[in-house]
Amino acid sequence: MALLTRVQIDAADDRTWEDVPVPEWGGEVRLLGLSGTERDAYEASMVRVGTTGKVSGVNLLDASARLLARCIVDEDFQRLYTDKEVQALGARNGKVIKRLYAKAQKISGLGKDAAEDAAGNSEPAPSGPSTSA
């Protein structure tokens, strides 16, 4: 296999997304997998840093909504929720948030499914456009 150039890497359409039915909300939402930078920012938001600059704990408050705020996008792939609007999203039905969070984790390469995918123990995530539930 030939080595890729930067131009080829930059031109690759490698972000995955999925339209997910949410009957409780009366329609579907589009979840876009995180970019590398977005994933790092999300993971960094999970860490509490103490006054000495060292990790002092884990920040789980609105963790599901924080991920979803980064992943729920419109038809033009623009975020529907900003980081400042996470609490509004987190106030929605917990069952729905949990279901969408699991999907967002999977398409972003986070969580248990990501570890299994990396180990080759599960089906690969769909790449590109998908309308599966």
Side-chain angles (χ1 to χ4, degrees), residues 42 60-69 86 89 97-98 101:
Y42 171 71
L60 297 178
L61 183 64
D62 282 324
S64 300
R66 272 187 278 144
L67 176 62
L68 290 175
V86 165
L89 182 57
I97 296 297
K98 181 179 179 178
Y101 175 73

Side-chain angles (χ1 to χ4, degrees), residues 18 28 42 44 50 65 67-68 82 93 104:
E18 187 171 342
E28 294 181 336
Y42 171 71
L67 176 62
L68 290 175
T82 68
N93 181 317

